[in-house]
């Protein structure tokens, strides 16, 4: 006789509901007939009576059975007699799988922006239309004729783009990569996803920064990883913390965003970079360096990546066009040992069969074009200008209520709120007044922080956006 | 004291090797020192001596320890004294995760094609350059100016493309979709991946066709699904088999490719379509209809999709540009209940943050352009021409050694080989003679079949390719 499977991920009551539904569907219990009593079924199946009651409740909710007090549970006549047709229980399917939903605050912000595109956007971590090289890309696309064969692309990515990236990495990031060690990805996001899904196994321990890039958190959790935190201070993470986590939890990998860290804007200090690499090589521990922001350095040379100092090959390096050109291109790259790049490319075939050729062509052309260097220069100047506007407005509107360090690169400014505040309440007050920003708790930190992205809002909107935020903050304190 | 974890996925010997390496790294066993004997360690850790021997072998392979018969196992001096630096054990990382490697035959074919692009290609399931609308796409790209904002796109896909797909689906496939029920994907592959990863859980039973699209097999297995087969006869799958699998294994979903099935070319008979939908609605069972080929119907009207007859919403419908336009665009779509489309879009944010905007713009323009209808017409004619060439050549070269049904749509011809043959041997003989094709066992069937794709090879190469295949087959029989 059938028994529920106690090792299954599916709750017992759901298994029982499914099972009864199946017996009804097969005519064992015809429409109108009485089902066995809860007590009897519980004994038969070896479960608590309360479990059977939950199963019956579930069946009742979908109209498959009816219960009347005192007269037991019967198979519905209406549902089954006239039209024995059932839409799949999509709600339950939507709960399947390993993917946790993304963060509720991020969905709330997205929904608010969709409802009202006139909101001043300090939340989306990307460049405004006037910072992105839209005209340059349009010009390139009209200069070139896209007549090459559009078949399935090379699994590691379009070869001319990988060649252009070899030069780019040598020139801008002091990284000596080869075509074979590069994997082109759908942004840094896909690089991180491939690493967590294909190189780590559920239950593995990894170290991540506290706070951390917010979309990586559900991704790590979906992969079943055990997360341990490396607090970020004004000089970045502590290499000693990495050793301690290794000792204690046998961490398998370290994820870091050392150059203009998201959300704090921190740059990992030079001495700590050396120590971190030493720890990695002593412990044979891979470091994932997520580096989307370094070329935004407003003044002076961008920080040197860990990868440029990585003598023995401990570092998987991740780059992206999203924060220096356009996030909607979805072009990123990873530099990895050849066997890793090949492994990840092979696994990706199962996920999406590789990237579209056209944006890879556009990216290759842009990187090799005379538009690239002037674009970067202009981008840095404009980001600096926007940052200054934001800092000025914050100092003017909220001199005593917030504290922040002024970032020297990146798209974001990270604020500590002096008053104790409820994150969600603050966001709602902001949306009501026409401004969105990201509550700090989204990044895995304590609440009481806010991330302002100054790259996305229109320059002229920045002062008004801060004024609205100030009002929202005062309202949230008052409330 | 530390003990290996018997419930971990990591083999015991690996855990032990890791543990010893850690103790060495922390100086517990300095360079040159003697490690405890195998017997002693085995007793300490509660494992067989052979397990400890395997752990030592692993450590020896990486040069961390040295063993000399009679004198026990010592920590290496060379490796540890001079430079205590260790590259991560990338080989082991490459074995992590849930993704099974893709099929060895497919890799072999890809490698052969990379080494020698002059091979006649009956293997790649895509259109040749002269069938794809390359000039049309190039023309569209030069007619339009791509100056729209290139930010992160809508998670469900570019809205004008979804609008164009609503019209396309109504006009060509008799499917009434709405913008909100469409999810744009990186080809059918990503649709299948999202469904298997996000709507099903490891251990779930599903029904797939036998034979089945070859890249879906490792994907299903990577998702931990239990696979049950639905044999495909000349009229497609049997609805009764679906009922039987439901009864026996509680299958949670049925995957089918009913229109010019890959690899067999079969069209599911009209009566069976009705019965399949009836079974689905009776059992509340979702059907995934993977429909990349229907618009290639050489003559007459393309078969009606199951989705067009799906009154209660049992069907998740998947389409793609890959087989009717260009696989390198990576544009596919899914029609699903709104909550499912939203769920999958949300999960995809964690994987790749959505699709590139540019190919979606190109696809939307192509669908709405006056190029689309004439392209389809020309495509069908040319596919018919290529099919006839292949059929003629096969009949001429191998009248007695093969059997096949002539397909009326799709890109492939499925051949039964009369003699008993070793799949791998045949492929090698083919590669040696300059032709590739896909051995039938790749599709999960018995060996003794071959799939010929006639869409990819150049028209003028088809007769020569078949002649080479005939030679290879004779050599493989002889051998
Ligand atoms: C640190 C970090 N990593 C990765 C990403 C993902 O960006 P993309 O996939 O667009 O490159 C972001 C985007 O905000 C980020 O800030
Ligand atoms: C039946 C079937 N489904 C899905 C795919 C995946 O194609 P794409 O992701 O390019 O749409 C293919 C390609 O061969 C196929 O034949």
């Amino acid at each position: 006789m059938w028994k529920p499977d106690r090792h299954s991920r599916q709750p017992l009551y759901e298994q029982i509901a499914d099972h009864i539904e199946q017996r009804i569907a097969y005519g064992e219990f015809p429409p109108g007939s009485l089902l066995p009593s809860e007590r009897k079924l519980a004994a038969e199946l070896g479960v608590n009576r309360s479990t059977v009651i939950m199963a019956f409740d579930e069946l009742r909710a979908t109209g498959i059975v009816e219960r009347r007090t005192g007269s037991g549970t019967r198979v519905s006549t209406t549902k089954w007699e006239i039209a024995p047709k059932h839409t799949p229980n999509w709600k339950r399917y939507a709960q399947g799988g390993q993917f946790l939903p993304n963060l509720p605050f991020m969905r709330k912000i997205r929904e608010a922006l969709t409802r009202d595109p006139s909101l001043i956007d300090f939340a989306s971590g990307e460049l405004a239309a006037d910072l992105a090289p839209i005209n340059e890309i349009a010009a390139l696309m009209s200069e070139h004729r896209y007549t090459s064969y559009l078949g399935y692309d090379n699994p590691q990515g379009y070869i001319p783009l990988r060649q252009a990236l070899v030069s780019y990495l040598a020139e801008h990031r002091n990284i000596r990569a080869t075509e074979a060690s590069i994997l082109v990805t759908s942004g840094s996001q896909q690089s991180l996803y491939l690493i967590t899904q294909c190189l780590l196994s559920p239950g593995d321990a990894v170290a991540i920064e506290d706070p951390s890039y917010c979309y990586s958190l559900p991704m790590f959790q979906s992969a079943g990883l055990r997360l341990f935190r490396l607090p970020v201070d004004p000089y970045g993470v502590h290499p000693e913390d990495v050793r301690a986590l290794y000792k204690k939890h046998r961490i398998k990998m370290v994820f870091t965003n050392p150059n203009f860290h998201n959300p704090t804007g921190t740059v990992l200090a030079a001495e700590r970079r050396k120590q971190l690499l030493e720890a990695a090589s002593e412990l044979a521990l891979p470091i994932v360096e997520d580096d989307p922001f370094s070329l935004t350095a407003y003044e002076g040379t961008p920080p040197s990546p860990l990868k440029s100092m990585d003598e023995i090959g401990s570092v998987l390096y991740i780059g992206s066009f999203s924060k220096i050109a356009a996030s909607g291109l979805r072009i990123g790259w990873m530099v990895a040992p050849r066997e890793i790049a090949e492994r990840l490319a092979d696994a990706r075939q199962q996920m999406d069969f590789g990237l579209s050729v056209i944006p890879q062509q556009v990216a290759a052309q842009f990187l090799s074009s005379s538009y690239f260097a002037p674009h970067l220069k202009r981008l840095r100047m404009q980001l600096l200008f926007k940052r200054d506007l934001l800092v000025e407005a914050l100092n003017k509107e909220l001199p005593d209520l917030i504290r922040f360090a002024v970032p020297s690169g990146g798209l974001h400014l990270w604020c500590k709120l002096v008053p104790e505040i409820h994150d969600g309440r603050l966001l709602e007050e902001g949306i009501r007044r026409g401004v969105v920003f990201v509550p700090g708790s989204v990044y895995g930190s304590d609440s009481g922080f806010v991330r302002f992205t100054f790259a996305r809002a229109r320059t002229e909107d920045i002062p008004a956006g801060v004024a609205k935020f100030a009002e929202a903050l005062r309202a949230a304190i008052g409330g």
Side-chain angles (χ1 to χ4, degrees), chain A:
Chain A
M1 216 197 66
W2 182 86
K3 292 260 187 232
D5 173 4
R6 292 185 178 271
H7 301 293
S8 160
R9 287 219 209 168
Q10 194 184 18
L12 289 179
Y13 80 91
E14 277 193 16
Q15 295 181 43
I16 295 170
D18 280 355
H19 170 72
I20 297 174
E21 187 179 340
Q22 185 182 9
R23 287 165 74 179
I24 295 172
Y26 274 97
E28 188 179 328
F29 303 119
S33 67
L34 200 62
L35 292 181
S37 73
E38 288 152 5
R39 199 178 303 276
K40 188 161 165 235
L41 259 178
E44 229 181 83
L45 303 174
V47 299
N48 288 331
R49 198 176 146 204
S50 61
T51 309
V52 176
I53 293 179
M54 280 168 73
F56 278 4
D57 282 348
E58 168 106 0
L59 290 169
R60 220 162 23 125
T62 53
I64 291 170
V65 305
E66 292 161 348
R67 189 159 51 173
R68 239 164 294 150
T69 339
S71 88
T73 299
R74 287 181 188 280
V75 179
S76 302
T77 44
T78 43
K79 177 108 184 176
W80 292 87
E81 247 173 5
I82 307 161
K85 290 192 173 172
H86 313 292
T87 303
N89 186 341
W90 290 118
K91 191 165 254 99
R92 197 183 291 166
Y93 282 94
Q95 289 159 1
Q98 49 168 334
F99 283 86
L100 301 179
N102 284 313
L103 304 155
F105 277 148
M106 301 313 285
R107 295 167 138 263
K108 180 168 232 147
I109 292 167
R110 188 198 305 289
E111 279 161 21
L113 285 167
T114 309
R115 265 199 316 275
D116 180 3
S118 77
L119 288 185
I120 297 179
D121 183 357
F122 290 140
S124 305
E126 59 183 344
L127 303 178
D130 61 344
L131 300 190
I134 293 176
N135 293 324
E136 290 89 330
I137 286 177
L140 281 167
M141 288 180 69
S142 71
E143 286 162 23
H144 288 80
R145 245 184 102 70
Y146 291 82
T147 49
S148 61
Y149 175 51
L150 286 174
Y152 288 114
D153 189 26
N154 183 299
Q156 269 183 240
Y158 185 59
I159 292 174
L161 175 56
R162 286 195 268 146
Q163 288 164 342
L165 285 167
V166 168
S167 313
Y168 162 86
L169 288 164
E171 181 180 344
H172 291 275
R173 309 275 58 222
N174 195 23
I175 291 172
R176 284 144 300 159
T178 59
E179 232 178 275
S181 63
I182 293 179
L183 175 68
V184 182
T185 60
S186 172
S188 317
Q189 187 71 29
Q190 190 175 45
S191 294
L192 291 169
Y193 179 68
L194 289 168
I195 291 170
T196 54
Q197 288 285 325
C198 307
L199 304 183
L200 296 166
S201 301
D204 279 353
V206 301
I208 64 171
E209 291 163 328
D210 179 12
S212 260
Y213 163 55
C214 62
Y215 277 98
S216 66
L217 296 175
M219 185 189 63
F220 285 121
Q221 286 160 349
S222 299
L225 303 176
R226 287 181 298 136
L227 302 181
F228 297 97
R229 303 290 184 153
L230 300 167
V232 174
D233 75 16
Y235 304 97
V237 297
H238 275 278
E240 276 316 311
D241 290 346
V242 170
R243 283 179 198 274
L245 286 183
Y246 183 82
K247 211 158 186 166
K248 196 148 168 212
H249 302 290
R250 282 292 284 160
I251 48 170
K252 286 265 167 82
M253 215 173 258
V254 177
F255 290 82
T256 177
N257 169 207
N259 308 316
F260 311 124
H261 172 251
N262 177 6
T264 66
T266 308
V267 175
L268 182 63
E271 188 54 28
R272 291 193 186 174
R273 285 176 196 248
K274 251 187 70 201
Q275 290 161 356
L276 184 60
L277 287 170
E278 276 163 20
S281 74
E282 233 169 78
L283 307 172
L285 189 61
I287 296 190
V288 176
E289 180 179 28
D290 184 10
D291 186 30
F293 302 112
S294 51
L295 288 200
T296 59
Y298 315 136
E299 294 165 303
T301 347
S304 300
L306 292 166
K307 184 71 193 166
S308 66
M309 309 181 245
D310 171 31
E311 286 166 13
I312 63 160
S314 307
V315 178
L316 299 178
Y317 177 84
I318 297 175
S320 173
F321 261 172
S322 290
K323 314 297 170 179
I324 57 170
S327 46
L329 272 180
R330 306 308 306 128
I331 295 290
W333 46 89
M334 193 188 318
V335 181
R338 192 190 171 124
E339 65 194 303
I340 296 292
E342 282 172 4
R343 172 78 192 100
L344 298 182
D346 188 59
R348 183 175 58 187
Q349 297 292 92
Q350 290 176 34
M351 301 174 183
D352 60 19
F353 235 105
L355 296 189
S356 183
V357 182
I358 294 176
Q360 296 189 82
Q361 290 174 332
V362 172
Q365 287 152 4
F366 182 52
L367 267 184
S368 323
S369 76
S370 59
Y371 295 120
F372 187 62
H375 160 70
L376 271 187
K377 204 170 149 198
R378 188 174 63 93
L379 173 66
R380 288 174 184 161
M381 272 174 42
Q382 291 184 312
L383 282 173
L384 179 59
F385 186 75
K386 286 192 161 185
R387 180 206 67 182
D388 285 345
L389 256 183
L390 176 66
V391 167
E392 198 181 300
L394 287 171
N395 283 334
K396 178 172 152 236
E397 300 279 351
L398 293 161
D400 303 318
L401 294 180
I402 57 170
R403 306 239 178 296
F404 55 85
V406 177
S408 52
L411 280 49
H412 316 295
L413 188 144
W414 181 242
C415 265
K416 166 112 196 79
L417 306 176
V418 176
E420 295 244 338
I421 220 101
H422 182 275
D423 254 14
R425 176 77 202 286
L426 178 59
L427 180 60
E428 262 161 36
E429 295 289 350
I431 290 175
R432 192 168 311 150
R433 288 170 178 78
V435 62
V436 285
F437 44 84
V438 187
S441 61
V442 161
Y443 302 94
S445 311
D446 295 339
S447 67
F449 289 87
V450 162
R451 188 192 80 172
F452 289 100
T453 298
F454 47 85
R456 179 64 174 84
R458 284 182 308 177
T459 308
E460 59 271 32
D461 288 342
I462 291 178
V466 173
K468 288 174 198 291
F469 173 78
E471 274 177 45
L473 181 58
R474 296 215 165 81
I477 299 171

